[in-house]
Amino acid sequence: MSGSAATGTGRLEQGLGARTRRIVYGEPGPAAVRGELEATSTVDLAHVVMLRENGLLPGPAAAALLDRIRRLRADGFAELTGRQAPRGLYLMYEGHLVEELGPDVGGKVHTARSRNDIKATVTAMRLRAELTDLLGELLRLQAGLLSRARRHDDAVMPVYTHFQPAMPIGYGYYLAGIATALDRDLDALRHTLGALDRCPLGAGAVAGTDLPIDPARTAGLLGFGGPTLHATDAVAARDTLLRALGTVASAAVTLSRLATDLQLWSTQEFGFVEFPERLVGGSSAMPQKRNAFLLEHVKAKAAWAMGAWTASAAAAKSTPFTNSIEVGTEAVAVAWPALAAVRDSVLLCQVLVSGARPVPARMEQRAREGFTTATTIANRLVGEGVPFRTAHHVVGRAVRDALAAGERELTKIETPEGVTDLDGGLPSPAEAAAALNRGGGPGETAAVVTALRDRLAGHGDWITAHREGLREAARRLDAAVEAVVARYGTGDAR
């Protein structure tokens, strides 16, 4: 192929300079070439099958294209690695097909489409794969949280407000709270994956095509539920990507808060939680150190998703609602490292949650010393007919007196006139926690865990069906490709 044919467009005879080309298209290595062209060539297989079925491509030409694409995929596009790509990998790859098969065959692969709808489709497929994988890992983390929540419900500890001990709860109850928050993110991820069920292929450059294509056929072969509703929207919008980044940022923020609590509780000052040696690190200078440093990675990785959402939204803001580099390329590029960072955070949390060992004696000691039963005692006075504000004052004064006497827990109060006995006496932290069985309190931990486990099972069934649908689409595509190749042969179609 001549230099002008390789770089020109018909109207333009010269391409970008070398430095500018590196800025725009990069210098992809073998892994990057394989990753991008694997997705692009999957789209091509479905598109060529559809063109053949709709009479837009002769059978021998379709068979030759499909066979050549399959051979490129089989060796990981090794023969294209290092090849000059003056207008990006896609056009380099298409140029190779033209060189190998001639313009009458290779030149027809791009019939009734554009790089715009190809890029939108590849982005949707990649995002679908990334979110499906992330959803699966979040489900594993959720299972771990609920398992530990049930196991450690009787490890009574203080829950804190404003960094001061407030009321008694179980460590399992705390973990169930994290699981409750993540359940909403699981719902949101499923919704986002549902929004990816429309295939952009067929939208063309920006307004569809007048050629008799069948976008529903390519959508089905690529694992989508149907074709796009609106061509301009298909190539202009990446709001589903923003929604995905917002959802994973939400999950990552929740995990960062979990990590903050676990790191604080694993300090010697608290001593609520211990980690095995496989989950801690030492110091290069201080031999006594035992650092739960993995939690700091979890806390920091939330910033990747938050920053990516901000960068992506800023890149798209105020752009025309049509195909644009800002939206289709720059706004998308920041998403992939962010999704990878959140996935790593989830994987770290899986081992940290399963490896964390609560120290029940220390937890209960601090629950007692923090006077966490005070509210329960006040409520028992209310049950004896004492106005709550009066009960609040009585118990607060008892705490003050206990501290003045050097006592470390509340063992007695002066009951108001007319109250001869508290119902059951002064409760222990465990008894007080168990009594908090209204409004979603720790006395309802078992019910919370049961409800979340049922929802987890539903999420699991959904992702199993989703993955099977994608596998079935891949099988249909393989069968359709094989049918064309088998029928029309793999000889010279030029």
Side-chain angles (χ1 to χ4, degrees), residues 153-236:
D153 187 29
D154 58 353
V156 178
M157 61 176 286
V159 65
Y160 291 81
T161 62
H162 310 289
F163 290 95
Q164 301 297 319
M167 298 176 73
I169 63 169
Y171 177 61
Y173 175 76
Y174 170 82
L175 295 178
I178 299 294
T180 302
L182 288 180
D183 181 68
R184 292 188 292 274
D185 295 318
L186 296 174
D187 266 342
L189 276 177
R190 284 178 55 175
H191 176 80
T192 303
L193 280 165
L196 288 168
D197 207 31
R198 292 284 183 176
C199 182
L201 198 66
V206 71
T209 180
D210 55 354
L211 291 170
I213 62 172
D214 183 1
R217 175 58 166 160
T218 48
L221 292 174
L222 294 173
F224 293 92
T228 185
L229 292 175
H230 192 284
T232 303
D233 172 69
V235 299

Side-chain angles (χ1 to χ4, degrees), residues 123-382:
T123 297
M125 291 168 61
R126 181 175 179 181
L127 185 58
R128 180 179 67 188
E130 298 263 2
L131 294 184
T132 299
D133 177 68
L134 181 58
L135 178 58
E137 296 301 342
L138 277 168
L139 291 179
R140 292 185 181 90
L141 174 58
Q142 185 80 327
L145 285 165
L146 295 176
S147 172
R148 288 347 184 247
R150 187 164 55 181
R151 180 183 302 178
H152 299 305
D153 187 29
D154 58 353
V156 178
M157 61 176 286
V159 65
Y160 291 81
T161 62
H162 310 289
F163 290 95
Q164 301 297 319
M167 298 176 73
I169 63 169
Y171 177 61
Y173 175 76
Y174 170 82
L175 295 178
I178 299 294
T180 302
L182 288 180
D183 181 68
R184 292 188 292 274
D185 295 318
L186 296 174
D187 266 342
L189 276 177
R190 284 178 55 175
H191 176 80
T192 303
L193 280 165
L196 288 168
D197 207 31
R198 292 284 183 176
C199 182
L201 198 66
V206 71
T209 180
D210 55 354
L211 291 170
I213 62 172
D214 183 1
R217 175 58 166 160
T218 48
L221 292 174
L222 294 173
F224 293 92
T228 185
L229 292 175
H230 192 284
T232 303
D233 172 69
V235 299
R238 297 295 187 274
D239 55 286
T240 304
L241 180 78
L242 282 176
R243 198 169 297 112
L245 288 172
T247 298
V248 301
S250 173
V253 166
T254 296
L255 297 183
S256 77
R257 301 176 76 181
L258 166 68
T260 295
D261 287 338
L262 291 179
Q263 188 171 31
L264 184 65
W265 296 344
S266 67
T267 62
Q268 291 187 23
E269 287 75 8
F270 276 80
F272 288 1
V273 174
E274 294 177 344
F275 289 100
E277 289 188 0
R278 63 186 174 85
L279 296 178
V280 298
S283 165
S284 64
M286 296 167 283
Q288 86 282 9
K289 294 299 293 297
R290 201 172 187 278
N291 300 324
F293 74 101
L294 295 177
L295 294 162
E296 296 176 14
H297 286 286
V298 174
K299 291 192 294 182
K301 287 185 182 297
W304 287 72
M306 297 166 65
W309 187 93
T310 302
S312 186
K317 175 192 170 296
S318 301
T319 58
F321 193 74
T322 185
N323 178 71
S324 70
I325 296 296
E326 301 102 303
V327 176
T329 300
E330 298 293 350
V332 170
V334 298
W336 312 124
L339 292 173
V342 174
R343 183 182 189 277
D344 286 346
S345 178
V346 172
L347 295 178
L348 287 174
C349 283
Q350 288 173 1
V351 296
L352 288 163
V353 167
S354 65
R357 302 166 182 165
V359 184
R362 176 61 177 165
M363 288 177 163
E364 184 179 13
Q365 177 190 354
R366 288 302 303 136
R368 289 182 180 277
E369 293 175 349
F371 300 95
T372 60
T373 60
T375 301
T376 299
I377 295 171
N379 286 338
R380 289 191 176 182
L381 288 173
V382 170

